[in-house]
Amino acid sequence: MKADLLVHSAAQLCVIPPHDDGPQRGRSLGDLGLIEDGAVACVDGRIAAVGPTAEIRADWWAAVEIDAAGCVVCPGFVDPHTHVVWAGDRADEFALRIGGATYQEIMARGGGIMSTVRATRAASPTQLLAASRPRLERMLAHGTTTVEVKTGYGLTVADELKMLQVIAALEMSHPISLVPTFLGAHAIPAEYQGDPDGYVDLVVQEMLPAIDAHEMRPFAHLPTPLYCDVFCDQGAFTLEQSRRILEAARGLGLGLKIHADEFANLGGAALAIEWGAASADHLVCTPAEEIQQFGSCDTVAVSLPATPFGLGHCTYSPAGAILDAGGILALASDCNPGTAWCESMPFVIALACRYLRITPAQALVAATLNSAHAVGLGNEVGSLQEGRAADVLVVDLPSVEHLGYRFGTRPVKRVVKGGRVVV
Ligand code: NIG
Ligand code: FE
């Protein structure tokens, strides 16, 4: 039979099999479904067959072939937490932090997220698009084929809608698949200082309905076309405010996410689990009782090791406890201008191996199949199973053990997105 593309002779081909049609939970994380001398055939943008090269070659031929000899072949990375659309420059804050100022001190002085909000409000959609596209370009070059992107630097009805419009324009004009998330509750904007509940009223009564009514045709194919996220933390939104926002979003049928326990524990992870959120993200200072709850729910625990690293902190998510509890662990970059301008999932994996103390195999599954579940695409991407989107990486490493072990270079040699070679 004729395929559109055949990737063959991989030293190691990682299928990343779902477990019970779902993510790899708890200590079962890290099942690569390895095929030595493996091949994958793609037809109409989908995986048509996967197996040993000799068997695949017996049934398939293709006009375009990629020889993956000596390489690892795996699914494209799914990055389930980013703030990749922004304008402005915060390099000055990095210098301040190196000098000893904390992220929250800078935020309290009107810098931090609000600095990016001012620049993003001032930018036209064209300028925002031009600033964001090169970031996606570099993410793709590092092997990311699906990216969740949050709003949250507009914080007015019009500016949040502008950010969504830019995310939609990027979706239509760039090979990476995007998953949009509304993050109107990212910071209390300057004009509501002293009246945070007034801002929550605005989010609930005006922003959410306007966002929900907004034309989201580019995302109509997604099982969850729009998520709502809240930054539930010290200096941001309280547990009660977060609850109000997530409740309103759920009432509109949006998927839910939360930023929880990045700096302080307010109970955000338990709230996310209670409301059936798709994911709870950060989880740096989550207490053991809350970690335990990840074992009996489908809310994905998303760890963002580039964030503590970017901040120069030494405390990371308790990944071992999440796995011992039977939770679903995923990895994301958190790419943003404040805490972690990181566009590379291989670097996130390198950090995760060291500071989350997980193996390269576990990190790879956390950055593909499990992260796909964090954005509602657990049945569509993140695995090289037949029928899924043909998002395939050829990684110039002899075995998965080298992933994360080596860092500081770009191991990804070829990126196939929807059956097309894009890098
Ligand atoms: O995930 N914590 C909130 N949001 C980002 C930081 C955003 C920013 O500083 O611009 C984060 O770390
Ligand atoms: Fe974030």
Side-chain angles (χ1 to χ4, degrees):
M1 288 171 282
K2 185 181 182 304
D4 302 319
L5 174 73
L6 195 67
V7 182
H8 64 86
S9 311
Q12 291 189 335
L13 186 141
C14 309
V15 175
I16 320 275
H19 287 179
D20 298 324
D21 291 325
Q24 296 187 6
R25 293 196 81 105
R27 288 286 167 196
S28 82
L29 181 69
D31 175 9
L32 298 173
L34 271 192
I35 301 173
E36 276 174 32
D37 191 7
V40 53
C42 311
V43 176
D44 292 336
R46 303 252 141 209
I47 309 280
V50 56
T53 298
E55 283 177 27
I56 297 296
R57 274 210 185 284
D59 293 336
W60 298 89
W61 61 277
V64 183
E65 293 199 352
I66 298 177
D67 184 350
C71 295
V72 168
V73 168
C74 67
F77 298 121
V78 178
D79 186 347
H81 181 140
T82 85
H83 308 253
V84 86
V85 173
W86 81 78
D89 189 315
R90 279 162 64 193
D92 57 331
E93 291 182 8
F94 180 57
L96 289 174
R97 284 205 310 275
I98 289 174
T102 69
Y103 178 77
Q104 283 169 307
E105 280 163 14
I106 294 168
M107 181 156 81
R109 278 188 236 147
I113 293 172
M114 275 319 291
S115 156
T116 303
V117 168
R118 287 188 291 274
T120 303
R121 284 178 180 175
S124 69
T126 314
Q127 288 168 327
L128 265 182
L129 201 67
S132 309
R133 194 193 309 272
R135 297 170 196 144
L136 288 182
E137 250 350 284
R138 292 186 292 262
M139 286 179 157
L140 187 67
H142 284 270
T144 300
T145 47
T146 301
V147 177
E148 184 259 14
V149 187
K150 301 176 196 299
T151 69
Y153 292 124
L155 312 188
T156 64
V157 175
D159 290 301
E160 286 293 301
L161 286 174
K162 177 175 77 180
M163 286 197 73
L164 266 191
Q165 184 195 334
V166 170
I167 296 170
L170 285 167
E171 163 68 15
M172 289 186 292
S173 62
H174 193 277
I176 292 188
S177 301
L178 303 184
V179 177
T181 295
F182 165 65
L183 179 57
H186 197 192
I188 315 285
E191 59 276 19
Y192 280 91
Q193 283 308 321
D195 183 20
D197 287 317
Y199 182 65
V200 175
D201 289 341
L202 178 77
V203 171
V204 168
Q205 291 160 14
E206 294 181 40
M207 275 188 203
L208 268 170
I211 293 282
D212 184 51
H214 186 62
E215 179 54 68
M216 295 294 286
R217 202 175 302 142
F219 302 105
H221 62 283
L222 294 176
T224 309
L226 185 61
Y227 285 93
C228 175
D229 192 346
V230 179
F231 185 12
C232 177
D233 216 310
Q234 200 174 64
F237 294 84
T238 65
L239 187 67
E240 217 23 71
Q241 291 164 345
S242 304
R243 183 189 297 277
R244 273 188 68 199
I245 292 163
L246 294 184
E247 185 172 1
R250 194 166 82 163
L252 293 169
L254 272 57
L256 307 182
K257 290 183 162 283
I258 199 162
H259 280 67
D261 308 328
E262 180 178 1
F263 299 105
N265 171 244
L266 305 186
L271 178 69
I273 291 167
E274 176 191 334
W275 286 86
S279 72
D281 305 23
H282 284 291
L283 310 176
V284 173
C285 48
T286 313
E289 323 76 87
E290 276 184 76
I291 291 292
Q292 207 52 39
Q293 295 179 32
F294 282 100
S296 47
C297 68
D298 292 326
T299 300
V300 179
V302 179
S303 177
L304 313 143
T307 307
F309 177 81
L311 290 168
H313 291 175
C314 304
T315 313
Y316 290 78
S317 311
I322 294 169
L323 297 183
D324 285 339
I328 308 164
L329 179 70
L331 292 171
S333 71
D334 196 19
C335 183
N336 77 78
T339 59
W341 189 335
C342 174
E343 296 160 344
S344 164
M345 288 301 279
F347 185 63
V348 170
I349 288 171
L351 292 175
C353 292
R354 286 162 185 77
Y355 300 115
L356 272 54
R357 300 208 160 270
I358 59 177
T359 65
Q362 290 175 323
L364 179 57
V365 178
T368 52
L369 178 68
N370 283 11
S371 51
H373 278 278
V375 291
L377 292 172
N379 297 316
E380 173 66 12
V381 294
S383 162
L384 296 183
Q385 259 195 346
E386 230 177 272
R388 290 181 180 239
D391 296 353
V392 185
L393 306 181
V394 179
V395 187
D396 192 7
L397 296 172
S399 70
V400 171
E401 283 81 57
H402 282 252
L403 190 64
Y405 160 49
R406 302 193 203 175
F407 58 94
T409 51
R410 188 170 66 87
V412 175
K413 188 162 119 180
R414 291 266 186 283
V415 180
V416 174
K417 174 67 195 173
R420 228 164 40 85
V421 184
V422 289
V423 174

